Amino acid sequence: MARYFDVHPENPQRRAISQVVDLVRDGGLIVYPTDSCFALGCQLGNKDGLDRIREIRHLDDRHHFTLVCSDFAQLGKFVRVSNTVFRMIKAATPGSYTFILPATIDVPRRLMHPKKKTVGVRIPEHAVAQALLSELGEPLLSSTLLLPDEEEPLTQGWEIKERLDSMVDAVVDSDDCGTEPTTVIDFSGDEPEIVRRGAGDPSRFE
């Protein structure tokens, strides 16, 4: 049964955040709010957590997982970014964007796209997500909480708790979460490619 944490959207309670991060460090899989929508998250090296995300979402090995980072210093450890791309990403973050970039050796191979050797990264603008990342001290391996055969992500914490109670270890609810997935920009080619139009304004990359 998943634990349910109701945290303040702007000033999340430190005790609750610490308890959630302890679950993550112990190999747990959590649902947490971001500025786009709820996400599934676990620790970077958690293979079981990765497999559980794949099972919940029915994902194949070509899916781009996302490393949700606290800031650029953290992001730069896991992806290779040219000066030009850096400036474009810097202008759009934090925010509701996911960027696909070549992965560094610090990214486990099972997280990379099998052919492109790329991974998704983002820096959220959400107090609860940032509090979790600050306490954890590393990125959260994440994927949008979009269930198979459903067009819209789940938006209510209590409903997520009911539907995924036996499949995740914690649901973090803050009553303040986006309802649309991130806009996804692929920077692995010669020109930026808009892979998915979502919550972030894609016009700056067109």
Side-chain angles (χ1 to χ4, degrees), residues 117-186:
K117 308 304 180 192
T118 49
V119 70
V121 288
R122 69 169 300 220
I123 302 173
E125 187 175 24
H126 193 285
V128 175
Q130 282 288 349
L132 290 169
L133 294 166
S134 176
E135 181 74 15
L136 183 61
E138 62 182 89
L140 273 166
L141 166 62
S142 298
S143 183
T144 301
L145 181 51
L146 182 61
L147 298 182
D149 303 321
E150 296 193 13
E151 295 183 2
E152 303 270 326
L154 296 177
T155 59
Q156 300 294 324
W158 60 267
E159 182 185 5
I160 294 169
K161 169 83 163 71
E162 285 185 354
R163 295 185 62 176
L164 299 181
D165 204 23
S166 64
M167 305 175 78
V168 301
D169 299 294
V171 176
V172 184
D173 193 3
S174 68
D175 291 329
D176 181 27
C177 183
T179 58
E180 191 176 9
T182 56
T183 292
V184 179
I185 314 295
D186 188 343

Side-chain angles (χ1 to χ4, degrees), residues 40 50-63 65 143-150 164 167:
L40 293 155
L50 178 69
D51 291 341
R52 290 162 71 187
I53 293 174
R54 288 191 192 278
E55 183 179 356
I56 290 169
R57 292 206 52 201
H58 294 183
L59 301 173
D60 61 28
D61 62 1
R62 294 185 301 276
H63 177 76
F65 285 93
S143 183
T144 301
L145 181 51
L146 182 61
L147 298 182
D149 303 321
E150 296 193 13
L164 299 181
M167 305 175 78

Side-chain angles (χ1 to χ4, degrees), residues 64 98-100 116 182-188 192-198 202:
H64 269 109
T98 297
F99 305 102
I100 296 172
K116 296 182 177 181
T182 56
T183 292
V184 179
I185 314 295
D186 188 343
F187 278 109
S188 63
E193 178 187 353
I194 299 171
V195 177
R196 181 177 70 195
R197 294 175 185 270

Side-chain angles (χ1 to χ4, degrees), residues 4-25:
Y4 182 82
F5 295 87
D6 187 6
V7 300
H8 194 280
E10 296 176 2
N11 298 292
Q13 302 91 320
R14 290 193 63 181
R15 183 168 181 270
I17 294 298
S18 294
Q19 289 176 330
V20 175
V21 169
D22 284 344
L23 285 172
V24 172
R25 289 183 176 137

Side-chain angles (χ1 to χ4, degrees), residues 28-56:
L29 175 63
I30 67 169
V31 175
Y32 69 100
T34 76
D35 48 343
S36 57
C37 53
F38 279 101
L40 293 155
C42 67
Q43 205 163 18
L44 190 59
N46 185 348
K47 183 180 183 301
D48 176 67
L50 178 69
D51 291 341
R52 290 162 71 187
I53 293 174
R54 288 191 192 278
E55 183 179 356
I56 290 169

